[in-house]
Amino acid sequence: MEIRQRSLKYMVEREVLDEQKLEEVSQRKTYSDTHRPIRERIKGSIKCTVPRLKKTVVSFFPILYWLPKYSIWDYGMPDLISGISVGIMHLPQGMAYALLASLPPVIGLYTSLYPALIYIFFGTSRHISIGTFTVLSIMVGSVTERLAPDENFFKTNGTNVTEVDTDARDSYRIQVAAATTVLGGLIQVVLGLVKFGFVGTYLSEPLVRAYTTAAAAHAVVAQLKYMFGVSPTRFSGPLALIYTLMDVCSQLPHTHLPTLVVSVVSMVLLIAMKELNSFLNPKLPVPIPGELITITVATLISSYTGLNSSYQISVVGDIPSGLSSPQVPNVSLFGEVISDAFALAIVGYAISISLGKTFALKHGYKVDSNQELVALGLSNTVGGFFQCYSVCPSMSRSLIQETTGGKTQMAGVASALIVLVTILKLGPLFQDLPKAVLSSIVFVNLKGMFKQHSDVVPLWRSSKIDLVVWIFTWVSTLLLNMDLGLAASIIFALLTVIFRTQMPTYSVLGNIPGTELYLDIETHREAREIPGITIFRSSSTVYFANAELYLEALKEKSGLDISKMIIYKRRQEAKQKRREKRAERRAKRQAKREERRVQRAAKTQSGLMVFSVEEEVSHGGQWDGTCSDKEEQSWTKRENGTVFVIPTTPRTPEGQSRWEYLKGGDQDCTSLGWMSELQDGDTTTLGSSTEDTLSHDLERVSLGSLGKWTWDIHSIIIDLSTANFIDTVAIKTMKNIFKDFREIDVDVYIAGCQAPVVDQLEFGNFFSESVTKKHLFATVHDAVIYCLNHRGATSLPRYEPSAESCASTQF
């Protein structure tokens, strides 16, 4: 049985609605009805009720929402398995990423403990794993090495050999990292409390991915000294990455071979473990802890073979057991690290909210962007007092927490317990761990970031603007370092937004026959322009940055050069007045001639000699007969047609007449003569032409020369449905549009205004006696129907001349 699906149709019959009628029909509320006074809003915001207090407390402490509903039977075991898996990953990553931050490895373990515990109470995401992260570790490392370089801590031993006082250097670097972390956390808390969570939206996905990709290059270069066993000079500022890489390459002949062997073997083992995990992933309940196995094996080998003493391979060194006591950060450092702290706050939040929303969308819950900013800020602030550095979620750990069955942040508690046990009891066991192994862990974990270079191909196909943002961010981060690169990237991304709103797409709309739909006539073959009406639309809102361009585009699309037409119209009106005065003088002279003729006739009867009119002329008389007074026509030329300006109504007693504008399109004729060669600057030439020349040339004009169609332009409809706001500069521009087009007898209407835009027009004193809400229509179709009823369609016939007539038409 064949079932045919009929196309759905609808039919609506209603009166044409302008804004005034629409407000009456819809009973629109006034602005005061929908917007309470500021005093009442402030009073309502500080009013305290029990339900409101409860809601505020729960929103600030999300743990109070989900913990009372926590089911041990449903969530306990999955969270425990997930937490153990993530905790095992925290150990090698914490120590490895601490090297990126130029801090002792134990600081990485602290950073994996305290912030994660704080986030459990304040965070709204159930699956992200807070702790060390590659990009933030590199950014912290750039600060610590800038403010505490090795050369500031040189000491001389008994044999006059200069060495670096690593204890003093590391102690000061910990202070710098803690001060930067606390300040960045406070910035995040303040931004979250003032509901500034939307700031993360300005970091688009191409920008973040390009930034992390370039950060991976910084991470690799930073780890080369541990992998090759060399000591390059520390560089800072723009091009620091290039200088460091050149210095490392210059020292490659002095590579410490035992260190390089440890690095290569560690990388091979780690890559093999990762490939094995990928192959057995469907069959394994939890992934194989390759990183933990690697550092365990490397520690045992180093301890029993004496890699440090026998082969001078650098090891982690002393790892104190137990927790550190809280310390107040060095406030005097705040002034030197404020820009770095702000960059850390923004980047950390952008990564956190993007990961949090990804998992929330997948599992069907909501992440509060402002609360996430507060939670991350408190994690950093409190962690800074315990010698931690800046944290954010890690993609790899978060994926493990989600794929191993984690349901809530109780998995974070389990992972924190693993880290806590390591700090309290197992930390000293890793003292003989080679640093080259930790560098290899960082290097292998960067594989995912380096794969992001493949973003270039899909971005090229989908959006050239996003591709430019990606490339600019990548290049600027590589060359200008992490902080300056981020600032330059954000500024450039914002400039692309401004550029796209300044240079929108302008289009003339046409009607799809048989519908009330109006689409761009350049992109839709069936769209038909309404005779006598130009419907203009911009793809973006109108505001101060593009208001002037909007006006120029309207002139170009309508084919009417307003300023030239006003000047020419006034000249033609002045010439019309002069012609009328000359006609009056001619009439008077004709009357006198008639009177003299009568007198001659009378004298003829008395026998006097009389000359005829022709004879009078031949004898030097000055006869000036009447001539037909033709209406003078003028035109301006536009790019896709010719627009004729014609006074079509008799002059009124006040000396005014209505002018119409004839637009010709699809010009196929090449024999337009002197008129087709008219340039933009030729209006003055036309205005100064003699009447005889102009009349003679105009006698050759044939409407058939206008091509396939011709009509009079009497109305312009501005579609503002894409505008979500309008500022004072744009309002003045709209006023000028109405005023200028009224000068040349073209009516202007606005269609599709949203309610806020209507309010802004009203508050901006846009409406007056000549421009009322009756000039605003609910839809474009309403405006078109009104224009056709008010001014009518074209009164001129359609012409479709043949090629022969086109080639031979005489003007």
Side-chain angles (χ1 to χ4, degrees), residues 149-199:
D150 290 343
E151 53 266 23
N152 289 1
F153 299 93
F154 285 146
K155 66 176 182 179
T156 304
N157 57 18
T159 58
N160 294 327
V161 177
T162 302
E163 296 179 350
V164 177
D165 187 351
T166 56
D167 293 337
R169 181 200 64 185
D170 291 345
S171 176
Y172 190 70
R173 285 182 176 180
I174 291 172
Q175 294 183 42
V176 173
T180 307
T181 302
V182 170
L183 184 57
L186 291 175
I187 291 173
Q188 288 174 326
V189 172
V190 171
L191 292 178
L193 292 177
V194 298
K195 308 298 181 184
F196 211 65
F198 68 89
V199 69

Side-chain angles (χ1 to χ4, degrees), residues 235-243 478-481 484:
F235 297 95
S236 60
L239 301 179
L241 180 71
I242 306 299
Y243 296 143
L478 286 179
L479 300 182
L480 301 180
N481 224 335
L484 294 178

Side-chain angles (χ1 to χ4, degrees), residues 397-652:
R397 292 194 308 268
S398 299
L399 285 174
I400 293 298
Q401 181 168 324
E402 189 255 350
T403 55
T404 54
K407 303 295 183 182
T408 67
Q409 277 298 334
M410 289 301 291
V413 176
S415 65
L417 290 176
I418 299 295
V419 177
L420 178 62
V421 171
T422 303
I423 294 174
L424 293 178
K425 298 297 181 181
L426 305 180
L429 299 179
F430 294 104
Q431 292 180 357
D432 293 326
L433 174 64
K435 290 183 178 179
V437 176
L438 296 178
S439 298
S440 300
I441 292 174
V442 173
F443 193 91
V444 173
N445 283 336
L446 292 175
K447 182 180 69 172
M449 290 188 180
F450 281 114
K451 284 184 176 180
Q452 293 177 163
H453 284 96
S454 60
D455 291 350
V456 172
V457 175
L459 287 177
W460 171 264
R461 296 172 180 169
S462 60
S463 174
K464 301 297 190 296
I465 298 295
D466 287 341
L467 175 63
V468 171
V469 171
W470 197 100
I471 294 176
F472 183 89
T473 302
W474 184 78
V475 172
S476 61
T477 305
L478 286 179
L479 300 182
L480 301 180
N481 224 335
M482 302 291 290
D483 48 357
L484 294 178
L486 177 63
S489 303
I490 294 175
I491 293 173
F492 181 78
L494 293 177
L495 287 177
T496 61
V497 175
I498 296 173
F499 175 78
R500 278 184 278 187
T501 57
Q502 271 193 300
M503 304 294 292
T505 301
Y506 299 107
S507 55
V508 174
L509 306 185
N511 178 252
I512 303 299
T515 72
E516 80 292 352
L517 303 178
Y518 293 84
L519 303 176
D520 189 354
I521 60 175
E522 294 183 1
T523 57
H524 297 81
R525 294 188 182 91
E526 292 300 318
R528 298 289 184 264
E529 194 169 355
I530 304 299
I533 302 173
T534 296
I535 307 170
F536 178 76
R537 183 176 67 188
S538 169
S539 61
S540 72
T541 190
V542 190
Y543 69 114
F544 68 92
N546 62 8
E548 185 175 351
L549 298 175
Y550 188 89
L551 178 58
E552 294 300 323
L554 175 59
K555 292 178 181 179
E556 179 183 353
K557 292 293 183 179
S558 65
L560 303 176
D561 192 328
I562 302 175
S563 57
K564 291 183 178 180
M565 287 185 172
I566 291 176
I567 294 173
Y568 192 64
K569 175 186 173 183
R570 290 174 179 172
R571 288 179 177 175
Q572 296 303 101
E573 289 176 346
K575 294 172 73 174
Q576 177 70 11
K577 290 181 180 180
R578 291 196 298 269
R579 285 198 299 270
E580 291 176 354
K581 290 181 180 179
R582 286 196 296 269
E584 291 178 2
R585 291 195 298 269
R586 290 168 183 166
K588 291 180 180 179
R589 288 197 295 269
Q590 182 65 19
K592 291 181 179 179
R593 292 190 187 97
E594 291 294 333
E595 183 179 353
R596 288 197 297 269
R597 187 176 292 109
V598 172
Q599 292 175 357
R600 288 194 185 98
K603 292 179 180 179
T604 302
Q605 295 177 358
S606 60
L608 297 176
M609 182 179 291
V610 183
F611 295 95
S612 66
V613 176
E614 292 78 2
E615 292 172 334
E616 182 178 355
V617 173
S618 65
H619 282 75
Q622 296 181 351
W623 176 80
D624 188 5
T626 60
C627 64
S628 60
D629 187 16
K630 299 180 180 179
E631 288 288 351
E632 200 166 339
Q633 302 180 10
S634 62
W635 51 89
T636 60
K637 187 177 181 231
R638 76 173 188 175
E639 192 170 330
N640 62 342
T642 305
V643 176
F644 294 84
V645 185
I646 304 176
T648 59
T649 59
R651 297 183 60 85
T652 62

Side-chain angles (χ1 to χ4, degrees), residues 83-139:
I84 293 174
S85 303
V86 174
I88 291 173
M89 291 188 66
H90 267 300
L91 300 179
Q93 288 188 1
M95 290 188 290
Y97 292 160
L99 294 182
L100 283 177
S102 299
L103 297 171
V106 70
I107 301 301
L109 296 179
Y110 293 157
T111 304
S112 301
L113 173 63
Y114 294 107
L117 291 175
I118 298 300
Y119 182 83
I120 292 170
F121 292 92
F122 299 97
T124 59
S125 176
R126 304 173 190 173
H127 295 90
I128 61 176
S129 174
I130 295 293
T132 56
F133 186 62
T134 313
V135 176
L136 296 193
S137 299
I138 300 170
M139 296 176 71

Side-chain angles (χ1 to χ4, degrees), residues 332-373:
S332 61
L333 293 172
F334 281 2
E336 298 182 71
V337 300
I338 185 170
S339 60
D340 303 281
F342 187 81
L344 284 164
I346 298 300
V347 173
Y349 170 68
I351 296 171
S352 177
I353 196 63
S354 60
L355 281 177
K357 287 186 175 181
T358 300
F359 290 117
L361 183 64
K362 182 177 181 180
H363 293 276
Y365 62 91
K366 183 180 179 181
V367 171
D368 187 341
S369 58
N370 292 308
Q371 182 60 28
E372 281 296 295
L373 199 51

